[in-house]
Amino acid sequence: MKDSSTGHASDDSGVRLWAAAARGAQPPSERVGLRDELMRGFDAEFATRVPHFRSARKLYYLAAGSAAALLLAWGALQLPTNSGTTKTGSESEDVALEAAERAARQAIVQARLEALGATLEALAKAPAVAPVPGTGDHATKTKITYPLIEAAAEAAAVSPSLLTQLAAARRIEEIDRQEAAARYRKILTSGSDGAVEQVAQERLRSLFP
Amino acid sequence: MSPPLDGELARRAQAGDREAFEQLIALYLPRVRAFLFRLSGDASRVDDLAQEVFLAAVRNLRGLDQPMQFGAWIFGIAVRVERARRRPSHGSIDQEGFPEPADGMPARDGAEQAETSQIVMAAIHRLPTSLRETFLLRHVEELSAADAARALNAPEGTVRRWDFEARQRLREMLEARGLATERHST
């Protein structure tokens, strides 16, 4: 063991035996494509932080699918300089690229928010695992099957656990607004996903306009 | 773990270096999957949980202020994701835990080793959660007490106490099976 300061771990042959035996318990083979999925997550998170490759930026604009970004880029190329002339060459191209990148980033954030909002509404209407109509039983009414959460989380690009919390709050809004609000506030303090927090904030505002 | 390499890779990944993150996945995904499996005993969700761990890591990577601590940090995320899985609000949960040998667990490198592994994992799964997490982090993943404390978000003294208690309880459970000394080592 690396840390022998406990005075037990290093000199305990039993512990070494148990640890070795525990290492014998191995999970099943890794899902095909899992690493690609993780890299896609990384690409999505860091897409706006690719500073060096213009080809990557162009691909990014295409991926964003934002006509607004392209229009802004074109508009930026036409921006007059302080001297009243039109910028040309790499300087104007940089300005255009930065403007387009900003617009594309906004478009992605907006698209993510819309996807998350739509996902949440769909989950609010999804059947519960064991619905008990009219009982006001929060625990029962908030249960949604894990595969559904999982698929929805993938579609909305958020973690299943965050989406579960969000969906649970959304589903009890009509039963207990205070409880729903408390759950949204808890999500807001988790600080783990900007889009989720923004949606939680919007739901809170809709509960208490 | 090799902190200098991890730390450099984590630092580069924070700056958006794709290759560095790919290397972190190569280094840590197998370990995190194995850890999640041993912690939860739930083979069916290991990949989903691991995916959740690494995507949470990606989202929070920029906020990691000590890249050298990447190992403790990623295991800490794994602990929290696995705890969240056990909460009722996370949805329906399949059978979990490690059964005793009689219930059958696929043998790997010989029946005796597999049986020893089953007995030990069943005992580890009878430990309370915090003791189980501590034992796996400290002795199977070989994290230092300080790193395990970081991963568990608990004071180091508490983690040392949990570690001691975990070993005591395991000794009580495994002595009767003749697994408390080196003579049964594989």
Side-chain angles (χ1 to χ4, degrees):
Chain A
M1 302 303 143
K2 282 181 178 176
D3 180 359
S4 61
S5 56
T6 60
H8 298 281
S10 296
D11 56 5
D12 191 329
S13 61
V15 172
R16 284 197 298 273
L17 166 64
W18 307 332
R23 286 189 202 102
Q26 288 289 328
S29 300
E30 190 178 302
R31 182 169 72 212
V32 176
L34 176 59
R35 293 184 189 214
D36 292 337
E37 291 164 27
L38 300 180
M39 289 313 297
R40 278 200 294 276
F42 181 84
D43 291 341
E45 186 68 25
F46 285 86
T48 58
R49 299 289 180 101
V50 183
H52 304 302
F53 309 106
R54 286 189 174 162
S55 59
R57 286 186 180 190
K58 286 172 189 168
L59 283 172
Y60 175 53
Y61 304 153
L62 290 173
S66 168
L70 296 174
L71 281 171
L72 273 173
W74 180 84
L77 280 170
Q78 311 306 311
L79 283 175
T81 61
N82 288 339
S83 63
T85 60
T86 300
K87 281 187 176 180
T88 57
S90 62
E91 188 187 357
S92 59
E93 193 184 347
D94 282 346
V95 172
L97 286 169
E98 281 167 19
E101 189 171 330
R102 272 198 305 277
R105 199 179 303 152
Q106 285 165 4
I108 285 178
V109 170
Q110 190 56 38
R112 240 192 115 206
L113 281 172
E114 284 170 13
L116 189 53
T119 303
L120 206 55
E121 292 312 307
L123 288 177
K125 293 168 190 157
V129 172
V132 182
T135 61
D137 177 353
H138 296 168
T140 304
K141 283 183 178 295
T142 57
K143 275 184 189 170
I144 305 169
T145 59
Y146 190 79
L148 180 57
I149 281 283
E150 212 173 21
E154 190 175 346
V158 296
S159 79
S161 61
L162 272 176
L163 187 62
T164 302
Q165 292 174 42
L166 204 53
R170 176 69 187 86
R171 283 163 74 91
I172 63 169
E173 274 185 17
E174 289 169 17
I175 306 165
D176 187 338
R177 291 198 325 161
Q178 295 296 342
E179 171 65 18
R183 291 187 184 212
Y184 286 131
R185 289 193 193 98
K186 190 177 171 193
I187 291 167
L188 283 170
T189 58
S190 67
S192 51
D193 188 291
V196 170
E197 287 180 12
Q198 196 161 332
V199 168
Q201 190 73 58
E202 283 168 10
R203 295 308 312 165
L204 256 182
R205 275 198 294 268
S206 76
L207 281 175
F208 302 103
Chain B
M1 277 189 287
S2 52
L5 174 63
D6 296 357
E8 175 59 18
L9 290 174
R11 192 190 57 71
R12 283 167 47 199
Q14 283 181 311
D17 186 332
R18 202 174 186 279
E19 195 182 325
F21 187 68
E22 210 160 12
Q23 287 183 54
L24 283 173
I25 288 177
L27 280 171
Y28 278 97
L29 181 60
R31 289 185 60 185
V32 167
R33 287 181 78 253
F35 174 69
L36 288 166
F37 174 60
R38 293 170 194 137
L39 188 59
S40 68
D42 188 349
S44 68
R45 296 226 172 102
V46 163
D47 285 321
D48 294 337
L49 292 172
Q51 182 180 30
E52 201 171 327
V53 169
F54 276 86
L55 292 182
V58 163
R59 282 193 301 275
N60 293 287
L61 195 54
R62 292 187 191 105
L64 173 62
D65 51 9
Q66 290 181 295
M68 295 288 283
Q69 303 294 341
F70 181 84
W73 183 68
I74 195 94
F75 277 109
I77 296 174
V79 165
R80 287 189 289 281
V81 165
E82 203 279 330
R83 284 177 187 166
R85 179 196 72 95
R86 279 182 276 113
R87 281 201 292 268
S89 64
H90 207 85
S92 53
I93 292 175
D94 296 338
Q95 180 269 338
E96 61 182 274
F98 285 85
E100 290 283 357
D103 293 332
M105 180 175 172
R108 291 178 59 80
D109 302 314
E112 193 180 341
Q113 285 177 345
E115 189 181 346
T116 302
S117 174
Q118 284 175 267
I119 293 168
V120 170
M121 286 311 301
I124 289 172
H125 268 259
R126 286 202 297 274
L127 293 173
T129 304
S130 56
L131 304 192
R132 181 164 76 235
E133 292 168 348
T134 302
F135 183 83
L136 290 173
L137 286 173
R138 287 281 286 117
H139 301 289
V140 180
E141 295 307 325
E142 297 189 315
L143 263 61
S144 68
D147 280 349
R150 267 184 215 101
L152 294 168
N153 196 25
E156 191 177 326
T158 303
V159 169
R160 286 181 189 278
R161 183 168 52 77
W162 286 342
D163 181 20
F164 180 76
E165 199 176 329
R167 284 182 281 119
Q168 289 284 91
R169 291 201 190 189
L170 283 175
R171 186 170 289 107
E172 285 164 15
M173 286 188 271
L174 293 170
E175 233 160 17
R177 310 294 296 258
L179 287 170
T181 66
E182 193 75 87
R183 69 177 184 275
H184 289 270
S185 180
T186 50

